[in-house]
């Protein structure tokens, strides 16, 4: 046993001091241990009233036995549910939360996010690791240094994000969108990405290799016009030249466009997160022009079917449909 772990003698001391009515903090000081160590020891072994030396020692021995059988490997039904979640490109957190809703009274069908990571990613080997690699949203296991230089010039007539209505910030009112492009290999192709702040609903538009402002604005217009006017009020964009014709866009759609400050992607945080998810489907360094609109609609539909923590584990599609039903 590691000297860092509590010994039998220390457990006897803990038992005697609990009977004497000493606080956990005082017991920790007397033993020269951290308060959290004593607190966890007592809590996991019966509490103040039920703590027994023999029971605590045997429980510790059982917990320390190795190797342990992974929960997912010992429960085929649970493993199947997790695999199906990965097949839909859900994250471990989404899988975990969705299982709670699907099996509210079956504790055997619950699994924590950390257990999924440890059982599948950390312990995965061979074909299992290859199978799961495609489910990693970033497509890589190491973080990349952040930051970039941007030499783009000013867009005429920009309206700053600081002038955006206050109702946009708190997300309480639907109809406010964030937009951007994800760019393909050598900057020669792109896809327009739009996400609604209140519902997190995603729409994608194909522009192929034409990244001109006219093409981008027409693509956005084609998507936004599918919605009723009360669900299309504002659009927040970065300072990319693809929105240089924003004034014409506003006249054609009635949607006000607001521009983020330079180098401030967090001001479009919902869209930035969405773009990260989309890289799972459209990896960097690939030609994005090969994907037709039907394929983009399929990917958007799958994203809109993912349960979201910010929506209390409902999905964006259900949330938007509920809004449409209320105003029908």
């Amino acid at each position: 046993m590691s000297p860092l772990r509590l010994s039998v003698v220390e457990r006897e001391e803990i038992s005697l001091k609990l009977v004497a009515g000493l606080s956990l903090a005082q017991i920790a000081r007397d033993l020269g241990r951290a308060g959290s160590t004593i607190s966890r020891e007592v809590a996991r072994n019966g509490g103040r009233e039920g703590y027994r030396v023999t029971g605590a020692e045997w429980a510790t021995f059982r917990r320390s036995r190795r190797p342990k059988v992974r929960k997912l490997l010992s429960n085929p039904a649970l493993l199947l549910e997790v695999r199906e979640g990965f097949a839909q490109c859900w994250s471990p957190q989404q899988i975990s939360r969705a299982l709670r809703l699907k099996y509210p009274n079956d504790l055997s069908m619950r699994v924590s996010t950390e257990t999924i990571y440890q059982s599948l990613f950390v312990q995965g080997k061979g074909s299992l690791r290859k199978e799961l690699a495609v489910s990693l949203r970033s497509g890589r296991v190491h973080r990349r240094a952040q930051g970039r230089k941007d030499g783009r010039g000013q867009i005429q007539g920009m309206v700053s994000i600081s002038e955006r209505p206050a109702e946009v910030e708190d997300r309480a009112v639907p109809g406010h969108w964030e937009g951007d492009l994800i760019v393909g290999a050598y900057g020669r192709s792109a896809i327009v990405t739009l996400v609604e702040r209140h519902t997190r609903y995603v729409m994608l538009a194909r522009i192929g290799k034409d990244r001109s402002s006219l093409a981008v604005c027409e693509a956005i217009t084609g998507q936004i016009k599918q919605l009723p006017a009360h669900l299309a009020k504002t659009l927040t964009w970065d300072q990319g030249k693809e929105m240089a014709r924003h004034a014409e866009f506003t006249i054609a759609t009635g949607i006000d466009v607001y521009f983020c400050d330079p180098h401030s992607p967090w001001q479009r945080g919902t869209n930035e997160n969405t773009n990260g998810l989309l890289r799972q489907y459209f990896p960097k360094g690939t030609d994005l022009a090969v994907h037709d609109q039907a394929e983009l609609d399929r990917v958007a539909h799958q994203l809109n079917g993912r349960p979201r923590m910010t929506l209390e584990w409902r999905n964006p599609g259900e949330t938007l449909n509920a809004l449409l039903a209320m105003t029908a």
Side-chain angles (χ1 to χ4, degrees):
M1 188 76 72
S2 168
L4 297 177
R5 297 182 180 274
L6 292 171
S7 65
V8 176
V9 174
E10 287 177 307
R11 289 194 168 95
E12 290 176 346
E13 287 291 321
I14 292 172
S15 180
L16 291 173
K17 292 178 185 295
L18 287 174
V19 172
L22 272 65
S23 68
L24 298 181
Q26 183 60 54
I27 296 174
R29 286 193 292 270
D30 291 347
L31 295 179
R33 292 282 188 172
S36 59
T37 299
I38 304 304
S39 177
R40 286 194 298 269
E41 169 69 14
V42 174
R44 66 165 59 119
N45 293 301
R48 293 188 67 96
E49 301 299 326
Y51 187 85
R52 299 292 184 273
V53 177
T54 303
E57 188 71 13
W58 272 108
T60 300
F61 173 74
R62 288 194 300 271
R63 287 193 294 266
S64 64
R65 294 183 66 182
R66 297 293 187 274
K68 287 187 175 181
V69 178
R70 295 286 171 180
K71 183 174 184 178
L72 292 180
L73 297 180
S74 64
N75 189 336
L78 181 59
L79 177 59
L80 179 60
E81 290 282 355
V82 172
R83 286 181 180 272
E84 290 180 351
F86 276 118
Q88 296 297 315
C89 296
W90 291 5
S91 71
Q93 186 182 38
Q94 290 168 334
I95 295 171
S96 175
R97 293 291 181 167
L99 286 172
R100 291 190 184 188
L101 297 178
K102 187 174 181 179
Y103 302 99
N105 300 316
D106 189 352
L107 297 182
S108 69
M109 294 301 290
R110 293 188 182 182
V111 60
S112 70
T113 301
E114 183 62 24
T115 296
I116 295 175
Y117 275 120
Q118 289 186 358
S119 297
L120 298 181
F121 290 99
V122 177
Q123 297 297 324
K125 296 180 180 179
S127 60
L128 178 60
R129 182 176 294 277
K130 293 178 181 178
E131 172 190 339
L132 296 172
V134 298
S135 296
L136 293 173
R137 292 176 175 171
S138 65
R140 57 180 182 270
V141 294
H142 299 291
R143 295 190 67 186
R144 187 178 60 183
Q146 302 297 306
R148 67 177 184 180
K149 296 182 179 180
D150 192 341
R152 295 177 292 189
Q154 287 280 325
I155 297 175
Q156 295 298 314
M158 286 193 309
V159 180
S160 171
I161 192 174
S162 62
E163 299 181 41
R164 194 173 64 176
E167 69 178 29
V168 183
E169 187 64 28
D170 59 17
R171 302 177 185 268
V173 178
H176 301 288
W177 295 77
E178 296 176 6
D180 195 14
L181 302 180
I182 56 172
V183 181
Y186 309 108
R188 295 173 182 171
S189 59
I191 296 172
V192 176
T193 69
L194 301 167
V195 58
E196 203 277 320
R197 286 174 57 83
H198 177 75
T199 62
R200 276 65 171 185
Y201 189 82
V202 177
M203 293 195 297
L204 305 176
R206 183 182 188 278
I207 55 174
K209 297 183 181 295
D210 187 358
R211 293 178 56 188
S212 67
S213 182
L214 177 61
V216 170
C217 289
E218 287 181 347
I220 298 172
T221 301
Q223 292 293 317
I224 292 292
K225 282 193 171 180
Q226 301 177 37
L227 301 170
H230 71 280
L231 291 181
K233 300 176 181 177
T234 71
L235 173 64
T236 302
W237 205 271
D238 64 11
Q239 295 192 19
K241 288 296 186 64
E242 61 271 6
M243 283 302 293
R245 304 178 73 130
H246 63 93
E248 299 173 32
F249 170 79
T250 297
I251 294 173
T253 63
I255 299 173
D256 294 323
V257 180
Y258 297 91
F259 290 87
C260 298
D261 298 325
H263 314 297
S264 303
W266 59 88
Q267 294 178 342
R268 292 180 303 100
T270 306
N271 185 252
E272 284 288 308
N273 177 68
T274 299
N275 288 349
L277 302 181
L278 288 170
R279 283 303 185 183
Q280 191 171 3
Y281 302 91
F282 310 114
K284 292 184 178 181
T286 61
D287 183 6
L288 302 185
V290 301
H291 305 286
D292 59 17
Q293 187 60 48
E295 170 66 7
L296 302 189
D297 292 341
R298 185 194 68 79
V299 171
H301 178 74
Q302 190 170 93
L303 285 184
N304 290 329
R306 290 188 182 187
R308 304 295 295 271
M309 180 176 65
T310 52
L311 301 175
E312 297 181 349
W313 301 107
R314 297 187 299 273
N315 66 55
E318 294 171 340
T319 307
L320 183 69
N321 288 334
L323 291 175
L324 293 173
M326 292 172 58
T327 58

